[in-house]
Amino acid sequence: MKNLTNQKIEFGRVNTLKVIRLVDFGVYLDGGESGDILMPKRYVPDGIREGDSVDVFVYIDSEDRPVATTEKPYAMAGEFAFLAVKSVSRFGAFLDWGVAKDLLVPYSEQLTRMEEGKSYVVYIYYDARSKRMVATERYGSFLDNLLPKYEKGEAVQVLVSQRTPLGYRAIINNKHTGMIYASEVGSKLRIGQQLKAYILKVRDDDKIDLTLTPLGYDKVGDLKQVIIRRLQENGGRMRVGDKTDPETIKFAFGCSKKAFKMTIGTLYKQGIINIDNDGITLLQ
């Protein structure tokens, strides 16, 4: 078995820890430099024994002690997330992040005063100075300031973080920010929405332009073949059209709603498909 005794705990993340003793109220895990860490009884897997290793999420409780749990948070330290405010106190706002102790956003880390019931894009981290798990809206310093090495057309995961006059800012792979221009969006995106996007361009000023459409489908001719093939696979008819939501279209055809509408219009004019209120039908 791997010796985990001298490992350093990553607070706010999943760690693999060794069980060192069982007690009535839970088990103690070997936290290495951080000492013994309690996993309360309600989180202990059935049949666990001394010497076993277990994957646990480690965070700091209300008494500033490290605690282990098998609960999975909505996001971990080092990640961005869109989280709801459960309560507000004189210390700041407390966010629901999926574990027993809510996540603090001090007032100094808020762009505007957060309100109970509303959700915000934040970055989660362990503050070594205060020895607490915290989140911040002021996350610029946590983004990677090195030149991004993305290839044109590369698929990335993004979190929509802000609406601007030009479109939407988005956080790319928890590392960089990019822009999805309004012209690339078939309908409104939601702040906090997570989706797949594609690198359109890394500009000379290191800013990143994004698109929701795979670059292979830029041309109407490419997308025409995709739509025809999907129709053939579905017996010549699909219940998709002008009123279909963008996410469904993207899932079915891998393109934006704008590109889809333009392409089915072309197919209709060429007599290849028919369009009605319920969907599209292959005629050839």
Side-chain angles (χ1 to χ4, degrees):
M1 181 179 293
K2 183 180 178 181
N3 183 2
L4 304 173
T5 302
N6 296 320
Q7 79 176 86
K8 186 174 182 180
I9 295 296
E10 291 185 274
F11 294 110
R13 298 197 64 82
V14 172
N15 297 256
T16 301
L17 303 182
K18 184 177 178 179
V19 178
I20 53 176
R21 67 182 182 277
L22 282 65
V23 294
D24 290 341
F25 47 87
V27 301
Y28 278 98
L29 307 172
D30 183 357
E33 297 175 5
S34 300
D36 299 349
I37 297 177
L38 174 67
M39 179 164 60
K41 186 174 182 178
R42 63 183 178 276
Y43 304 127
V44 177
D46 292 337
I48 200 165
R49 300 178 180 180
E50 288 187 18
D52 289 349
S53 292
V54 59
D55 292 336
V56 290
F57 178 72
V58 182
Y59 65 99
I60 308 299
D61 70 8
S62 56
E63 297 182 17
D64 297 334
R65 300 172 303 187
V67 174
T69 177
T70 49
E71 290 183 311
K72 294 294 188 291
Y74 301 140
M76 301 189 195
E79 297 177 352
F80 292 87
F82 186 59
L83 301 176
V85 176
K86 285 185 67 175
S87 63
V88 177
S89 77
R90 61 189 179 92
F91 301 107
F94 288 89
L95 308 178
D96 176 11
W97 66 323
V99 294
K101 186 177 185 302
D102 299 329
L103 183 63
L104 174 66
V105 185
Y107 284 115
S108 60
E109 298 298 327
Q110 299 175 27
L111 295 176
T112 58
R113 286 295 177 99
M114 291 182 167
E115 300 178 34
E116 185 174 333
K118 291 188 177 182
S119 297
Y120 302 84
V121 174
V122 296
Y123 179 81
I124 303 168
Y125 66 102
Y126 173 68
D127 183 8
R129 185 176 60 180
S130 66
K131 296 184 178 180
R132 290 184 177 181
M133 297 302 309
V134 294
T136 179
E137 282 190 292
R138 302 180 184 278
Y139 47 71
S141 62
F142 294 101
L143 293 166
D144 193 337
N145 58 9
L146 297 177
L147 180 67
K149 297 181 179 179
Y150 295 116
E151 298 292 331
K152 184 175 181 178
E154 181 178 344
V156 292
Q157 291 297 317
V158 302
L159 172 68
V160 179
S161 59
Q162 183 184 4
R163 177 79 186 268
T164 79
L166 294 176
Y168 297 86
R169 293 192 187 280
I171 297 163
I172 306 169
N173 291 350
N174 276 299
K175 293 181 179 180
H176 304 101
T177 58
M179 175 66 73
I180 306 171
Y181 289 96
S183 59
E184 292 289 329
V185 180
S187 64
K188 287 186 178 180
L189 299 178
R190 302 187 309 273
I191 303 303
Q193 186 174 353
Q194 298 186 53
L195 65 162
K196 181 185 288 187
Y198 303 87
I199 301 298
L200 187 60
K201 184 178 182 180
V202 178
R203 295 170 15 197
D204 292 340
D205 57 5
D206 295 348
K207 292 182 179 179
I208 303 169
D209 293 342
L210 297 164
T211 178
L212 300 182
T213 305
L215 297 193
Y217 297 158
D218 279 350
K219 300 174 183 178
V220 171
D222 295 333
L223 186 51
K224 281 169 56 178
Q225 297 307 313
V226 172
I227 294 173
I228 292 170
R229 186 169 65 251
R230 293 286 187 274
L231 282 166
Q232 291 170 339
E233 293 169 350
N234 287 273
R237 180 162 177 80
M238 295 182 71
R239 296 177 64 86
V240 289
D242 289 352
K243 296 181 180 179
T244 304
D245 65 90
E247 290 183 3
T248 298
I249 290 173
K250 187 167 184 60
F251 179 80
F253 304 105
C255 67
S256 68
K257 185 170 182 177
K258 179 180 178 181
F260 172 75
K261 290 173 65 176
M262 180 173 65
T263 305
I264 64 173
T266 300
L267 289 169
Y268 176 77
K269 291 176 182 177
Q270 293 175 343
I272 297 173
I273 67 170
N274 185 50
I275 302 173
D276 57 42
N277 291 334
D278 294 324
I280 55 176
T281 304
L282 187 63
L283 299 178
Q284 299 182 0

